[in-house]
Amino acid sequence: MEKPPKWYDAHLDEYRKVAYINSRAQYDEMYRQSLENPDAFWGPLAKEYLSWYRDWDRVLDYDFVEGRIEWFGGGKLNASYNCLDRHLEDKADKVAYYFEGDDPGMSRSVTYRELYEEVNKVAAWLVAQGIKKGDRVVIYLPMIIQLPVAMLACARIGAIHSVVFGGFSAESLASRIEDSHPRILITSDGGFRAGKVVSLKKNADEALKLSEWEVEKVLVYRHAGNGVEWDAGREVWWHEAIAQDGLPDYVEPEPMDAEDPLFILYTSGSTGKPKGVLHTTAGYLLYGAVSTRWVFDIKDDEVFWCTADIGWVTGHTYIVYGPLTCGLTTVLFEGVPSYPAYDRFWAVVEKYKVAKFYTAPTAIRAIAREGDELAHKHDTSCLKLLGTVGEPINPEAWRWYYHHIGRDWCPIMDTWWQTETGGHMITPLPAVAPIKPGSCSFPFFGVEPVVLDADTGRPVEFANQEGALFIKKPWPGMARTVYGDHERFKETYFSKMPGMYFTGDGAKQDEDGYWWIIGRIDDVINVSGHRLGTAEIESALVLHEDVAEAAVVGFPHALKGQGIYAFVSVKPNIATTEALKKDLVALVRKEIGPIATPDLIQWADALPKTRSGKIMRRLLSKIAAGAVTDPEAVEKGVLGDVSTITDPEVLRPLILGRLSLNS
Ligand code: WT7
């Protein structure tokens, strides 16, 4: 494998002077200690990074066979207190968030004191509704300050928040409401996206109609000023709610057990409906804070910007809990990279003098495609470090980012992690070692990855040998269960290799020990860094009365990383028309949301299946990728072993059909 050219580590000498972790030797020593003695490693950090009402009795206790994980058992703390109250002493007037609206004319900064005041008001309103520790609150808001406010208000009183990404449809919101049984829903009239209004309240109304579960109250923040329907018995405007007479300005933070739930966040899996990944308080908070500090090497006077939506875990950890626990200043951006033009990110970087910037490969590709000039319109020399997350970054995108945005200097932190991991798992650190484009370098502290051979289940023996990625030991940020379904948690993550956490990704380690993530090896597609289960999209497609069967796979997509490819068979005597394709696309968007829009639909007379009736997605992926163009592929053995397929003849028309679809 190619050694990293010299210019990739131009930053190393400079970072070695300033970084928290400033040499390979220091990293190696800390890493060793984190695995050998997690108590001695995480205990002092928990004291340094968090404020506690009561000390813990033991740092770690776990059973990976049962999927039972406990960090800082017996300890008591409150996340809202850690993010707000304790900063009032020395950071009350420090900016917590620079809010940058979708409209460049709309911006506002919010200090720690202001954030604290607003959080207390909303917490007081929640208390007045009788909301207490353990109750669920679903939050469906655009990227506005009120989103972290709502989350922290819940955390303050011990309620469990579940944020639903504003791009999800009413149906998706309804299914999350039905699963988590919230007493309160917090939403807004609308949000802005590229100059257009997205009617969140309308979706929320529809979701509540669809859902069997009744929420008691809906709190609505007025943001977009669009008209809304109103149910006065159930709905309350945010500004009226917090202005109510007699509502206290201060709510005592609820002392939570270290392992009390902090939030639920739904994410797709290879089967069934999205699952409610549950994170608890102390371990998650600590892991988020420490990784924010060290991976981005953030100093207290630097501005951080993570462009993710808070509706995903990246936003939870690196816009809300990580930065606020550390008392940092970050940017909270409502808009999109393309509006008003594709230089928006760099305009915002320049405006707030962002030092550390974290985004997704898909955004970089979309921006790079629009040309280099836009990137050079702004002075981005304030940038000192870049990050990416969500999918493997392709070399072209990496080089563009490094050269045009990083000025051939900023190191790029390619952070591999997951909703379930709570924070970074395998990632470079800026002063530890040269970076190899496309590799996420080395494991973060406490993380012990291992690649197991898919056939033998044993650790791979050679450098660069690919296999399934497992993690051997618990780390503080990991999820603790699937909400309401611990069996599913055990089954999904701890049953493939008892005693180890299964990531769902394929990976390899090269001869220098660098880690490379290949991508998902389960039935999950990664679209623009967002996870979608093939089963979910298939379920949406078969809701159509003309559809007999559907099989969905991912395929390489220039912008999104992976696109969604659907093979659909219709019922007898149904015409396979363009109009039907349009209907199907609309149906999926309605059931899940625009992110699940199929890119290509191919009609299939029949789908390849095993004798037990399982669709052979491996074969379909190859066809969808355009990797097989020879109709005689089956006969020539190009598709590999097809002996388990009931009727290999179904493949020929699928290969021909693929050729006639242009992608
Ligand atoms: C999946 C997790 C963690 C926040 C974003 C997505 C893929 C994530 C990388 C990376 C290669 C990556 C993996 C992982 N992924 N980051 N740096 N390099 N792949 O969270 O929706 O839970 O998805 O995203 O396949 O399993 P998520």
Side-chain angles (χ1 to χ4, degrees):
M1 189 157 302
E2 198 191 337
K3 289 274 179 216
K6 187 64 198 149
W7 55 269
Y8 285 153
D9 53 2
H11 65 278
L12 267 179
D13 288 343
E14 286 306 308
Y15 262 99
R16 285 191 170 139
K17 293 180 209 149
V18 298
Y20 296 108
I21 294 156
N22 65 6
S23 70
R24 178 67 194 256
Q26 189 191 355
Y27 163 81
D28 285 344
E29 175 53 25
M30 287 171 70
Y31 181 64
R32 190 188 55 75
Q33 201 209 3
S34 75
L35 297 191
E36 279 172 13
N37 194 346
D39 291 28
F41 185 85
W42 293 108
L45 286 169
K47 285 256 158 71
E48 184 188 336
Y49 276 77
L50 302 177
S51 303
W52 298 79
Y53 299 119
R54 182 186 187 281
D55 274 357
W56 53 89
D57 301 320
R58 58 208 163 265
V59 174
L60 172 62
D61 187 24
Y62 76 105
D63 175 351
F64 256 17
V65 173
E66 289 302 311
R68 188 182 59 75
I69 305 112
E70 183 199 71
W71 283 91
F72 307 106
K76 281 191 182 290
L77 76 172
N78 180 282
S80 165
Y81 180 88
N82 274 279
C83 290
L84 301 168
D85 304 45
R86 64 185 182 139
H87 298 318
L88 294 185
E89 222 172 276
D90 58 340
K91 297 191 180 79
D93 297 319
K94 180 172 180 174
V95 172
Y97 289 116
Y98 286 119
F99 169 71
E100 172 77 9
D102 178 64
D103 176 345
M106 196 194 268
S107 59
R108 160 187 178 211
S109 56
V110 180
T111 63
Y112 273 90
R113 189 202 315 277
E114 289 165 339
L115 198 63
Y116 164 87
E117 285 169 359
E118 184 95 352
V119 166
N120 271 283
K121 275 291 176 190
V122 175
W125 180 81
L126 288 170
V127 170
Q129 311 315 303
I131 305 302
K132 48 184 196 332
K133 180 175 170 177
D135 288 340
R136 274 82 55 219
V137 173
V138 165
I139 304 174
Y140 185 61
L141 282 171
M143 279 288 286
I144 54 179
I145 299 293
Q146 287 68 31
L147 176 45
V149 166
M151 293 161 77
L152 293 166
C154 291
R156 192 166 191 88
I157 63 168
I160 307 168
H161 61 71
S162 181
V163 179
V164 178
F165 170 54
F168 277 126
S169 67
E171 276 77 1
S172 288
L173 176 59
S175 79
R176 285 153 174 79
I177 288 172
E178 287 197 320
D179 190 74
S180 61
H181 292 180
R183 292 183 62 188
I184 305 278
L185 171 65
I186 303 182
T187 187
S188 75
D189 51 355
F192 296 104
R193 207 186 142 78
K196 296 200 183 69
V197 172
V198 183
S199 309
L200 292 175
K201 174 67 164 59
K202 200 165 150 254
N203 284 353
D205 291 346
E206 213 176 303
L208 293 177
K209 261 189 222 126
L210 287 167
S211 164
E212 305 253 322
W213 176 258
E214 303 262 335
V215 302
E216 291 162 37
K217 284 270 154 57
V218 184
L219 184 65
V220 188
Y221 184 76
R222 183 178 282 155
H223 175 59
N226 51 321
V228 292
E229 281 184 26
W230 202 253
D231 172 347
R234 184 178 70 184
E235 290 160 8
V236 190
W237 284 110
W238 176 299
H239 58 271
E240 287 172 8
I242 63 171
Q244 255 167 46
D245 277 349
L247 208 62
D249 293 329
Y250 174 76
V251 177
E252 188 80 38
E254 179 79 28
M256 303 292 281
D257 287 336
E259 285 296 341
D260 275 334
L262 179 59
F263 66 85
I264 301 167
L265 188 58
Y266 286 83
T267 189
S268 299
S270 35
T271 54
K273 287 190 171 179
K275 43 188 178 292
V277 170
L278 184 126
H279 282 282
T280 57
T281 306
Y284 170 81
L285 216 55
L286 176 65
Y287 199 73
V290 173
S291 55
T292 301
R293 247 316 162 213
W294 290 349
V295 172
F296 303 113
D297 202 66
I298 302 192
K299 312 300 181 202
D300 285 332
D301 57 353
E302 289 177 336
V303 177
F304 178 54
W305 182 16
C306 163
T307 70
D309 193 291
I310 294 174
W312 309 106
V313 75
T314 309
H316 276 61
T317 307
Y318 297 108
I319 300 178
V320 184
Y321 289 111
L324 294 181
T325 300
C326 292
L328 298 169
T329 299
T330 76
V331 177
L332 197 158
F333 176 46
E334 184 187 12
V336 294
S338 56
Y339 182 80
Y342 271 97
D343 63 343
R344 186 68 189 279
F345 275 4
W346 323 126
V348 174
V349 163
E350 183 178 29
K351 179 170 174 183
Y352 299 109
K353 302 273 173 293
V354 174
K356 311 284 163 84
F357 177 76
Y358 190 32
T359 194
T362 186
I364 298 164
R365 289 192 294 267
I367 293 167
R369 200 177 59 163
E370 300 299 314
D372 307 342
E373 298 80 54
L374 283 169
H376 297 290
K377 260 180 73 180
H378 304 275
D379 177 7
T380 54
S381 58
C382 47
L383 286 172
K384 295 187 219 162
L385 176 146
L386 305 172
T388 70
V389 59
E391 56 171 307
I393 182 164
N394 50 310
E396 304 85 275
W398 195 96
R399 289 198 167 80
W400 189 90
Y401 196 32
Y402 187 80
H403 181 63
H404 293 286
I405 306 306
R407 312 181 308 286
D408 290 341
W409 189 85
C410 295
I412 299 178
M413 303 298 110
D414 179 349
T415 61
W416 173 80
W417 59 295
Q418 312 179 298
T419 304
E420 296 87 341
T421 72
H424 303 143
M425 294 291 281
I426 306 185
T427 174
L429 293 167
V432 163
I435 284 161
K436 296 192 189 191
S439 161
C440 37
S441 294
F442 305 114
F444 196 67
F445 304 104
V447 175
E448 192 175 356
V450 58
V451 176
L452 301 187
D453 183 278
D455 297 323
T456 65
R458 282 202 291 274
V460 295
E461 288 172 45
F462 309 107
N464 295 307
Q465 206 178 327
E466 291 180 17
L469 179 62
F470 286 79
I471 313 290
K472 285 164 110 170
K473 296 214 180 87
W475 61 98
M478 74 184 300
R480 302 300 197 257
T481 193
V482 166
Y483 183 71
D485 196 351
H486 192 70
E487 273 309 307
R488 192 169 173 198
F489 185 69
K490 263 171 69 178
E491 164 65 28
T492 310
Y493 306 107
F494 298 97
S495 70
K496 303 278 180 301
M497 180 53 66
M500 289 189 200
Y501 169 86
F502 176 55
T503 65
D505 279 319
K508 63 177 185 182
Q509 206 181 1
D510 72 16
E511 58 286 348
D512 299 321
Y514 283 64
W515 287 86
W516 300 76
I517 304 296
I518 317 293
R520 301 292 304 195
I521 51 173
D522 52 4
D523 291 327
V524 164
I525 312 183
N526 188 329
V527 181
S528 302
H530 300 311
R531 201 198 297 191
L532 289 163
T534 51
E536 252 179 286
I537 307 172
E538 288 162 5
S539 311
L541 288 166
V542 297
L543 287 176
H544 197 287
E545 54 177 10
D546 293 345
V547 171
E549 205 172 28
V552 168
V553 294
F555 74 110
H557 189 284
L559 224 52
K560 303 180 189 176
Q562 279 194 301
I564 299 173
Y565 198 106
F567 293 89
V568 174
S569 23
V570 290
K571 290 183 180 159
N573 305 320
I574 297 294
T576 52
T577 60
E578 283 306 307
L580 180 53
K581 277 194 185 176
K582 283 211 178 91
D583 276 5
L584 293 178
V585 167
L587 180 60
V588 175
R589 291 172 66 98
K590 179 172 163 293
E591 287 299 316
I592 305 172
I595 44 164
T597 308
D599 294 283
L600 287 171
I601 295 178
Q602 178 180 338
W603 303 119
D605 292 332
L607 296 169
K609 288 188 189 155
T610 61
R611 274 171 244 291
S612 60
K614 204 169 171 297
I615 294 172
M616 298 177 80
R617 284 207 183 67
R618 182 177 59 82
L619 297 178
L620 292 175
S621 299
K622 285 190 185 166
I623 296 173
V628 231
T629 48
D630 185 349
E632 312 293 325
V634 180
E635 291 79 356
K636 292 182 182 163
V638 181
L639 280 168
D641 182 11
V642 291
S643 58
T644 50
I645 187 172
T646 42
D647 180 10
E649 264 311 299
V650 305
L651 293 170
R652 179 197 295 265
L654 293 178
I655 295 168
L656 289 169
R658 175 67 182 102
L659 290 175
S660 61
L661 266 191
N662 48 355
S663 62

